[in-house]
Amino acid sequence: MSYYLSYLILIPGAILMFWAQSQIKGTYHRYSQVRSTMGMSGAEVAQAILSKMGIHDVSVEPVAGELTDHYDPSAKAVRLSEGIYGSDSLAAAAVAAHECGHVLQDKQGYKFMNLRASLVPAANLGSQLGPFLVIIGLFLSSMGTISSVFINIGIVLFLGVIAFHIVTLPVEFDASSRALKLINQMGILQGEENKAAKKVLQAAAWTYVATAFYAVLQLIQLLLISRSRN
């Protein structure tokens, strides 16, 4: 299989990623227009959950951008995007609660969250150098063993990327599960509003599934290239 033809392997992953992105954007936009009955902003939802769980050393801060929400464990800060922090929409409540789910994971030493954190250096190195070394190996193919060494090292490094994305899945699913349970138990959302929150978080989950799937296809592509060179 030629280097260029191997890119055909990535097409299903690219399609899934495009679909997942359209799902989260569409679902987020839909429920960002619907105000919650309680009228709590994303920031208020986050503060209420943290207070309820007895967590007082984590701040809730605004951050620029759209869907840039995240929990920074090193700074002990829940950072909510502009459309979430001050909004009292159903989407805002769901996203804010999800980030608080990560806070609870951190406080309780959730093993997959700790594992993901430990994989960050390997993932960064693998994403930057893995494919690059494979390409170098292709250019050096006329040099025999040296080219194979570059290709094999690139593939090994890229395994760190795969591991990171796979471990990310249970981390995100668990945070969403915690979020949905909390906003229901605390009465932050009422009745059918909880179903809307679930749709928002399920749509977001698909982006992580699509990213992991695409990374696996990239690994398959690299393996096929390696096999063809051998």
Side-chain angles (χ1 to χ4, degrees):
M1 177 180 290
S2 73
Y3 176 74
Y4 296 104
L5 286 178
S6 68
Y7 273 91
L8 294 175
I9 296 294
L10 303 179
I11 292 178
I15 293 173
L16 181 59
M17 289 187 71
F18 177 80
W19 177 83
Q21 286 295 327
S22 65
Q23 282 290 106
I24 182 57
K25 289 181 179 179
T27 306
Y28 170 76
H29 178 74
R30 176 183 176 184
Y31 291 110
S32 65
Q33 308 300 313
V34 183
R35 298 182 62 186
S36 66
T37 300
M38 295 297 291
M40 296 174 66
S41 68
E44 290 172 336
V45 169
Q47 291 286 10
I49 291 176
L50 295 178
S51 178
K52 174 72 173 179
M53 303 307 296
I55 300 172
H56 305 291
D57 60 343
V58 174
S59 62
V60 179
E61 307 169 355
V63 66
E66 182 179 75
L67 296 176
T68 51
D69 314 88
H70 65 280
Y71 167 59
D72 184 348
S74 62
K76 298 298 179 184
V78 170
R79 300 200 172 105
L80 302 177
S81 60
E82 298 167 346
I84 299 297
Y85 187 86
S87 171
D88 61 359
S89 69
L90 300 183
V95 173
H98 175 87
E99 298 309 326
C100 288
H102 287 309
V103 177
L104 296 179
Q105 290 174 335
D106 185 26
K107 290 296 181 180
Q108 297 173 8
Y110 184 61
K111 61 181 180 180
F112 285 110
M113 186 178 194
N114 295 333
L115 179 58
R116 183 175 71 169
S118 68
L119 288 171
V120 169
N124 289 337
L125 183 64
S127 63
Q128 295 171 7
L129 289 183
F132 179 68
L133 289 176
V134 171
I135 292 175
I136 289 179
L138 293 176
F139 280 118
L140 297 177
S141 60
S142 61
M143 300 177 67
T145 304
I146 295 180
S147 68
S148 297
V149 169
F150 274 101
I151 292 174
N152 291 335
I153 291 176
I155 290 173
V156 170
L157 288 176
F158 198 74
L159 287 174
V161 179
I162 301 295
F164 176 82
H165 287 305
I166 290 177
V167 171
T168 291
L169 296 179
V171 174
E172 296 300 331
F173 293 156
D174 179 75
S176 290
S177 178
R178 292 170 187 259
L180 293 171
K181 185 179 297 184
L182 284 168
I183 57 180
N184 182 43
Q185 291 177 346
M186 294 175 62
I188 292 172
L189 296 182
Q190 307 291 316
E192 293 296 312
E193 293 178 339
N194 289 288
K195 292 183 179 180
K198 186 175 182 179
K199 289 180 181 179
V200 172
L201 296 183
Q202 284 180 334
W206 272 109
T207 63
Y208 296 105
V209 172
T211 301
F213 180 59
Y214 189 79
V216 170
L217 292 182
Q218 284 183 296
L219 176 62
I220 293 174
Q221 178 199 31
L222 296 180
L223 290 172
L224 288 174
I225 292 174
S226 174
R227 184 176 179 180
S228 67
R229 301 313 298 176
N230 291 333

